[in-house]
Amino acid sequence: MPEVELGVPNPYFAELLFRFLTTESAASELIYSGELVTAEQASA
């Protein structure tokens, strides 16, 4: 995780909310890859 490499962990409640709003696999993929997502990709 890019944040962990820098010493800045993901905010716990933000991660929980993200996992609630998306699927578990989609959330894990984005959190652990550090990939940026455009607005068009997010709305699809």
Side-chain angles (χ1 to χ4, degrees):
M1 290 172 49
E3 293 85 2
V4 173
E5 290 174 9
L6 293 173
V8 181
N10 288 329
Y12 178 71
F13 291 112
E15 184 176 333
L16 284 179
L17 179 62
F18 185 56
R19 290 181 186 280
F20 177 75
L21 295 174
T22 64
T23 63
E24 186 74 24
S25 62
S28 292
E29 180 181 340
L30 288 174
I31 289 169
Y32 295 125
S33 72
E35 179 182 343
L36 297 176
V37 179
T38 64
E40 291 81 23
Q41 292 173 322
S43 66

